Amino acid sequence: MRQDTVYRRTGTLSSIRSNRAVAGTALGAAALFMAIVAVLLNSTALFFMGTALIATIGAARLQALLSVRGLRFERVAPPSIRLGDEVTIEITVWSEKAIRRPLISVYDALPPKLVITDRSPSLPIAPAFDIPIRSQYSFRPLRRGRFKWSGIVAEGSDALGLVTMQREYPTAVTTLTVLPRPIPVNLELPASLGYGINEASSGKARGAGLEPRGVREYSRSDSLRHVHWRSSARARQLLVKEFETGSSTAAAFMIQSTLGTEIGADGSTTLELMIGHATYLADIFLSQGAHVVFPGLESKPRFASHAERMEEIYELLTDVQANRKETLGQDAAESTGDLPHGSTVYCLLSVADRDLISAAVALRGQGVNVVALLYDASKFAKKNSRPFESATSPEFVTEITRSGVLPIVVPLEVNS
Amino acid sequence: MIQLTRNDPQRVGALDYLLTGTMIAVTVYAATQSLGVLNYSSAFVSAALIGCLFSYAVTRLMPADKASLLSGIAYAAIGAFALFVNPNFLPEDNPQLVMPRFLVWLLVTGSFAMWQDSTLLFQAVPCVALLALVGVYDTFKGAVLCFFLFLLCLATLMGRAHSRLMMKQAVASGFRRVEMLKESQWRWVAGPEWALGSALAVVIISILGAPYLQESVQGIAGVVKFNPPVSKDIQKPAIFSGPSDSVTSKVGQGPRSLTSTIVFYATLDHPRYMRVATYNNYMLGGWGQRNPDGVGDNISQYARGQMKNPLTYQFKIEPVALATTGYPMPAEVSSLSDTRALEDVQDGTWRLKGGGPAPSLSGTAMQPEATLVPTKADREMPARFEPYTVLPPRSYRVAQLAEDVTANAKTDWDKANAIKEEIDRRCKYNLFAAATPERRDPVNYFLFESKEGYCDLFASSMVLMARSVGIPARYVTGYYPVRDEKDGQGRYVIRSSDAHAWAELFFEDAGWVVFDATEGAVSVPGSARGDATVQLWFETFWFRFIVIPAAMVAIGYLLYGLQNLIKAARETKIETSLKTARAYRRFETMLRRAVGHPRRLSQTSREYVDASKVELGPAYEIAQQVNTLFEEALFSPKVSEATLNSLEAESDRLKKALDSRPNPKKR
């Protein structure tokens, strides 16, 4: 159990609790002092005082000990939540003994990989004999994934709050799926590549369907070049032209998840940001009618509705961890035959991967466009990080540009 | 305009301040009693209680965040004051007494800065330290009782503080309805009342166990010999209720605690010295009787026989609160109205025979002729009266002084007066004079070094100096109405502060003649004869003009708060029960319309719903749920606003379900 993460937003409470613990220790020391001096001086008054204080500490310890004995726990967590959402865990407690107890708190032994913030203390409760009493606590997860844990720690004290005791209890395994959260990103993607195509460049894209679909409200990622001024003047708000990219258009996302390429700590890592951006871009592409695939992560993507497909993507990206042996370039090379002609591959990477150069050449030969979304990993690096070459290094950018990859440096100061 | 803050269950309340006030009061009381500064006891206790009231007022007037921020700063400032300033209230400037002095000041002044839980509870630290010192000094018998009372208060206070801490944790956990906790999650809690119960059990265990423990470690106990820094001059019983009448009477023992308690009424022709006990043998810094039972020499009869042409006068004694077996009588008693309860000690004093209340007595006493001025001491006394002339060993200096001051006196009477005048000239009368140091003779120390003292030292000096020049003399304790205070019936009101000691010298033709050397002595301001050295706590200025009004205001406020609470509870209960009844009527009406007939009297609500399953159709399950909610609401002691809201919402859901049922007629 990571006590340091407990009460991150209730520092005062924590300090008060530690003060009380100090008070308990001080009272114990005073009791000991009185007892020793009582014996040394043979002082009757001190014998009474010392006995009373020792008995008080003893009674407090006994109460604290009994408060965490004979309990039964059941935990209920929501099956899945989005990254960063507040999750409330409900814990039901039964007392198996017909005794009155002081208030107890519960501490869930969350798995170490589940990085969280804003963990609240649990609701203190007084367990009752054979009657379910419900406690709760909440936190915000900072990492995606599927997490399982079991066991719970009950922390009880005496009625005076002087002595605290803990006891661990087994519980059924609880599963929590933390889905990725789309992170908006403002990118100037080439129009013909299925992201806000304009008339000027439409002819350059091979196989892109260009039937106009109408106008829509301006959103933050839209280029000003696509604003339809006449409609905007009429509607008194910015409207942009939207084009049907055609059912044959496919956007493939490949995310760098090679072991050791995730730079950063806790929830602020390059991988988490790339996943968030990929989710966002996938949603945009799907809304524009493009077919979105994740080569390497799924074998046979099916054609489903926008909403269904997004659900699939959320589930898919939940499991992505930086633990693969293969490099992004190797994955891209492997998927060369799977991608349809005229589709675009978006490679999201933060650490330079030179395998991508040969893979890009092969992909270009198959008529697949390759766009590299580059993240400056140095901005995530901590002081003791091992050395790496950021994907935004000029050398690497030059090399991939030469191989026909369109490099786009993702602006981090806006989104991270 | 000052706005009172709302009663917040997460903040310290009036009861907490009451508990803390009691805690501090008993500690300070025990400390001052232990240190012997009885006259400061009530002032410190009152100041601490006022501090508690002040702190409570601050918490009511100041927002919680400000109070919590400023409380620590204020307490630290006060702590610094107590550490570096702490004016000395002790009679001695002993460096070892700095710690108790600091702790007393910290407690008293710190009570003005207890604006949050932590500072409130922190006061327990100096309390424990001070009580431990009281235990170490072991000079106050009530220390253990005070400690137990302190422990009970502390346990309850900590239990309540722990509850508040848990309530804050509940809020931090995201639980919004903290006011409902005691009816739900905390219904079965062992809270502050259990803390108090535990503390009571602890007290009982200690009372039973401590003597056993002390007994069991007797082999190793007491290996360290500790001389407490509290000197004997401040180790005094709490209240001194009368003059000594025991076999021995120590002198020069430090300030006496003289109260203004009425001891008896005396009907006399004018203020007279009233004896309780006499002593003839000066030894080891005190007076004793050569004959331990005090009976046998019959000096009284001899004295009466010495009087030439004596005059008689009437007197009456009406005891109120006699604390001695010696019965105060004027000299020399010749007859008494009733002697059944008294025994004649034959030295001019009388004492009560056994238990039972002291009776009122009247009688006749003798005095020498008014115009008689004796000149010669009775140097021819029978041999059995020799003790009245014996000078103790190592009294050369006193004897030398007596001889020096009487060198020019022609008669014994002149000598006696010269001695008295010399004592008056040399020494000041001071009720708060320090005790004679150990292994020093009190009379020597008084006459030649301290030159300050109270009646026993004046009288002892007078006796020894008189004996030095051959005048038989004795030391007498009793009462003298120095303030000439009379009640409506003309009786002299004799108080504890009228207790006195004087010398009686034996002269031919006159018998025992009183020589009170304090008469002409200069008094230290505020310390004159007849002054009370201790005010009872209920007689103090603080108590009468500050504590009582403050307590009345506090009680009024508590009663007002209690009345509001009862009123609010009643209103809430009536209002919620009305709302529940209305909601149930609506529920029943909905069901009646859907089912087509009302609930039978023999049916419970659940039976009615179950019997109507077919008619209710798909709404049956919702109706069951709503019915369960109503069962809980109608039969539980308290219905919350949230329950009422959910009842209404569920009823709306039922209505929609009933409305959306397929119309049976159309089917």
Side-chain angles (χ1 to χ4, degrees), chain B residues 197-263:
Chain B
S198 307
L200 273 171
V202 161
V203 167
I204 292 167
I205 288 168
S206 308
I207 290 170
L208 297 175
Y212 174 76
L213 281 175
Q214 190 174 11
E215 188 65 33
S216 62
V217 296
Q218 275 313 300
I220 53 166
V223 290
V224 175
K225 299 297 172 199
F226 172 69
N227 285 325
V230 186
S231 63
K232 292 204 169 179
D233 64 331
I234 52 175
Q235 295 175 49
K236 287 284 113 194
I239 299 294
F240 172 71
S241 50
S244 170
D245 69 336
S246 58
V247 175
T248 57
S249 175
K250 292 273 181 188
V251 295
Q253 292 290 295
R256 293 297 183 98
S257 304
L258 302 171
T259 68
S260 51
T261 310
I262 297 174
V263 183

Side-chain angles (χ1 to χ4, degrees), chain B residues 505-576:
Chain B
L505 277 58
F506 207 96
F507 285 89
E508 283 181 5
D509 304 333
W512 290 114
V513 178
V514 172
F515 272 80
D516 186 352
T518 63
E519 273 176 353
V522 176
S523 295
V524 169
S527 185
R529 286 175 57 185
D531 284 352
T533 57
V534 173
Q535 266 190 309
L536 294 176
W537 59 273
F538 50 81
E539 293 172 341
T540 55
F541 171 83
W542 293 96
F543 187 81
R544 287 165 67 187
F545 297 105
I546 296 174
V547 176
I548 289 180
M552 285 172 72
V553 171
I555 289 169
Y557 178 76
L558 283 175
L559 288 175
Y560 173 73
L562 193 67
Q563 183 199 4
N564 279 352
L565 274 177
I566 293 168
K567 198 176 163 187
R570 274 186 190 158
E571 281 174 0
T572 313
K573 197 171 177 184
I574 292 167
E575 199 181 331
T576 49

